[in-house]
DNA sequence: TTTAGCACTCACTTAATAAGAGTGCTAACT
DNA sequence: AGTTAGCACTCTTATTAAGTGAGTGCTAAA
């Protein structure tokens, strides 16, 4: 792959990203700083087409990048991103966050929501935040509250400030004192452990405990098992759906319906936003790289936030494949860092 | 207003609702059981047009109902609805709910989400549920948990099973024992009271309390005030946005963008879904009756759920003005009853 | 290897025409 | 007085045709 060809590919992508129009050889010849005739550029373009990095919507139209072309382009960006150290943004972040921190006391969810809001606004895409996975969150406190004769409300309070509640159904009726005793025991044993850790050692610990008398042990184990049996995936917060409507590539209502269906479903997004957390840096799925066919006109970008020992969620955007990737990547980086800061302020 | 004219209006609306096409006099003449010539019907239509109940998109097109026309039509439906007693649906509901209740233990939010999901599916519209207003929910338990030196996590557990958390910021650092004592006191005093009740009597009760020693009283009051100072509006859950894309009247992406902006904002919806709770029965805003210009192509229908003494939220849909109102109204009624049942099972 | 020139393709625009659905009005009918 | 038939008129939609222009691919010359 020629360096000149590479540069021409870059130009085609940049141009197409801003105009949303196929770019032709003549226009490119004028645009390019290195002076080349349209005919020469046509030759190069022909090569790029053979490599399936660009294509033409119809014979004798200008060229537009293919998903593969975007991928080639994006990989270069990511490689550059990797080399340079970026400690600067965090500093300015800390200041700006400090300024805002006085604003209003918030729910944990509101912090996530605020991050989504801001990211959607600066990227002009639909933004998505996945809340920290309960399974890897560390327990701070557990409350067991009788709701009715056969139902117990379990409230899990995590060290991160995240609160999860679930309703557990029963055959028998646990007494109120039993519940308070049990929750106390669980707190003592498991404070600071992650939910998944608790799940594995639950039976063992409870059995060891001398306080629990023998007849109530089975009930305690049953209740404990159910209490900590929560979904591994976090909740998904989506914001800025209206932004998607603005793009010319999504002018048909059918296309929009498909995309919004994917948003309603959340399935595909949850899957990607979970995977993202295992890898460092912004992860990107371009067009047909998405596992759902529903999103094959979109690019999805995301990265994780938080700190690995305590809590971990992910944040990113959904937009058209025709994105200013460089900008969006930094925006996500920025948001991720800001959000990490915001949620980690509760961890001493 | 003639009875015949009224019937013709009904037919125009019914026809238009199913076909989405303007209906003409000839078609109507064939459709109508009472045999009238097209010419006669034209005369009647002319009258209806003068009354602004129907209009024509352009000269020499068929007629379509105006917002006012829909309103006239809907008022009749509501009047009929009012007269007939509807105890039957509840019975069949109880059975169907009982069948499902074993399915899976859920979070309180999941119950609301499931209701939204179902309503969206049966109405083919976008559905909206507003969670019970915290202000009128009754307290079951309050937890005060230190997060960092200057921050306390407040967890409010309501009798309904709803859980609210918020983070309260401080200058000084309350000791852990102080927090446990305070939360215990608050529980004893205020269990079973609504949050707004608590807000009004908070200072008085705390001051009376002999347990609180004098120096910590101001801190206790400050903390209590902040703890119970939560938004009066519930959260809004929206589902089935993709359904909106299907309607031919929303074919333009601009229209869609406007509607989705309203969904992102939530402001307008929250306002309507709050108002709804003060009134019995399904409330309806047709087209320009909506207070936001953004929704003047839509109809919004909603009713409250829950039982007045304990908790109150609202549930409804957003769709085009061209709706089968009768069906959607019953669907909302059904969902409201089902949801009421689902949430009230926790109240003994 | 690069460039200039030329024929060709295809979408988009505009205009003109035709078809069709529906109205409004008038006059006749019951 | 209410109802009907007939007819001219209006306005949208579909279709066709021609013209325009951007852009390509190929060939031959520099």
């Amino acid at each position: 792959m020629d360096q000149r060809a590479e540069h021409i590919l870059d130009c085609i992508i940049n141009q197409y990203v801003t105009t949303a129009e196929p770019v032709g050889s003549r226009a490119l010849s004028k645009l390019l700083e290195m002076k080349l005739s349209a005919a020469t550029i046509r030759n190069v373009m022909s090569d790029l087409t053979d490599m399936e990095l660009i294509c033409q919507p119809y014979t004798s139209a200008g060229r537009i990048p293919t998903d593969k072309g975007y991928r080639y382009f994006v990989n270069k960006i990511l490689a550059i991103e990797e080399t340079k150290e970026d400690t600067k943004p965090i500093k300015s972040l800390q200041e700006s966050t400090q300024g805002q921190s006085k604003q209003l006391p918030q729910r944990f969810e509101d912090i996530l929501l605020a991050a989504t809001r801001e990211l959607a606004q600066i990227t002009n895409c639909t933004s998505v935040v996945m809340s920290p996975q309960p399974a890897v969150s560390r327990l701070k406190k557990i409350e067991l509250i009788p709701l009715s004769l056969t139902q117990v409300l379990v409230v899990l309070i995590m060290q991160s400030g995240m609160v999860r509640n679930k309703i557990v159904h029963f055959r028998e009726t646990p007494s109120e004192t039993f519940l308070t005793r049990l929750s106390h025991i669980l707190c003592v044993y498991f404070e600071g452990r992650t939910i998944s850790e608790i799940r594995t050692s639950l039976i063992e610990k409870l059995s060891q405990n001398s306080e629990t008398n023998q007849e109530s042990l089975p009930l305690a184990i049953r209740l404990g098992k159910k209490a900590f049996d929560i979904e591994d995936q976090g909740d998904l917060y989506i914001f800025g759906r209206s932004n998607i409507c603005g793009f010319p590539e999504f002018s048909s209502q059918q296309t929009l319906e498909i995309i919004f269906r994917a948003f309603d479903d959340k399935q595909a997004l949850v899957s990607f936003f979970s995977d993202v957390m295992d890898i460092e840096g912004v992860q990107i799925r371009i067009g047909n790289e998405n596992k759902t066919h529903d999103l094959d006109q979109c690019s999805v970008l995301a990265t994780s936030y938080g700190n690995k020992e305590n809590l971990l969620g992910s944040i990113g955007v959904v937009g058209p494949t025709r994105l200013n990737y460089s900008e969006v990547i930094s925006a996500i980086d920025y948001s991720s860092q800001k959000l990490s800061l915001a949620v980690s302020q509760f961890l001493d």
Side-chain angles (χ1 to χ4, degrees), chain A residues 25-273:
Chain A
S25 56
R26 260 180 65 82
L28 210 52
S29 144
K30 284 180 204 157
L31 209 80
L32 237 49
E33 64 277 23
M34 55 166 116
K35 278 295 157 232
L36 287 175
S37 78
T40 313
I41 291 175
R42 274 205 285 281
N43 288 332
V44 178
M45 280 170 129
S46 181
D47 295 344
L48 289 171
T49 306
D50 288 344
M51 286 186 268
E52 293 187 323
L53 296 173
I54 56 180
C55 67
Q56 35 194 356
Y58 50 87
T59 336
S60 82
R63 303 299 216 285
I64 61 176
T66 62
D67 291 347
K68 206 171 151 191
Y70 282 125
R71 168 53 63 191
Y72 188 93
F73 178 79
V74 163
N75 281 347
K76 262 195 305 179
I77 294 180
L78 291 178
I80 296 168
E81 205 86 355
E82 199 127 308
T83 55
K84 72 174 178 198
E85 293 291 316
D86 45 356
T87 40
K88 272 177 216 162
I90 299 185
K91 223 175 212 166
S92 66
L93 262 173
Q94 222 146 12
E95 288 161 21
S96 73
T97 314
Q98 229 134 47
Q100 296 179 353
S101 72
K102 271 183 193 169
Q103 267 186 298
L104 13 123
Q106 295 170 306
R107 291 188 287 168
F108 185 79
E109 293 88 340
D110 290 337
I111 296 173
L112 301 182
L113 267 173
T116 344
R117 259 198 147 73
E118 191 187 358
L119 183 56
Q121 203 230 308
I122 56 183
T123 60
N124 193 37
C125 291
T126 302
S127 64
V128 181
V129 166
M130 190 158 94
S131 75
Q133 298 181 297
V136 296
S137 294
R138 293 181 187 282
L139 185 71
K140 180 120 191 176
K141 194 159 192 182
I142 178 172
E143 288 282 336
L144 302 173
I145 295 153
L147 272 182
S148 70
L149 290 180
T150 59
Q151 291 171 317
V152 173
L153 176 69
V154 178
V155 180
L156 299 172
I157 299 161
M158 311 301 186
Q159 283 188 339
S160 59
M162 184 169 70
V163 177
R164 280 257 160 176
N165 72 83
K166 70 176 296 193
I167 294 155
V168 171
H169 298 253
F170 270 105
R171 292 265 162 69
E172 59 269 81
T173 307
S175 76
E176 191 146 353
T177 54
F178 169 78
L179 288 176
T180 18
R181 274 243 315 281
L182 181 59
S183 63
H184 183 250
I185 293 170
L186 291 173
C187 284
V188 170
Y189 275 128
F190 296 124
E191 189 188 332
R193 321 302 300 272
T194 68
I195 303 300
S196 62
E197 282 170 7
I198 297 175
R199 274 205 285 256
T200 57
S201 63
L202 178 73
I203 297 178
E204 180 193 359
K205 286 280 187 186
L206 275 184
S207 309
Q208 282 173 11
N209 177 32
S210 51
E211 257 191 89
T212 346
N213 50 27
Q214 285 311 310
E215 72 233 55
S216 62
L217 182 61
L219 181 58
I221 289 177
R222 259 203 318 281
L223 212 162
K225 266 181 117 164
K226 284 191 177 177
F228 294 110
D229 177 31
I230 52 181
E231 338 75 70
D232 287 341
Q233 309 307 1
D235 291 326
L236 223 55
Y237 299 90
I238 303 177
F239 189 82
R241 289 167 164 95
S242 56
N243 289 343
I244 284 281
C245 302
F247 296 102
E249 44 264 77
F250 300 141
S251 59
S252 114
Q253 75 207 89
Q254 270 196 36
T255 316
L256 283 177
E257 185 170 1
I258 291 172
I259 296 173
F260 282 117
R261 182 130 34 81
F263 286 159
D264 274 342
D265 248 14
K266 292 191 175 178
Q267 199 46 55
L269 290 178
V270 165
S271 147
F272 177 58
F273 275 74

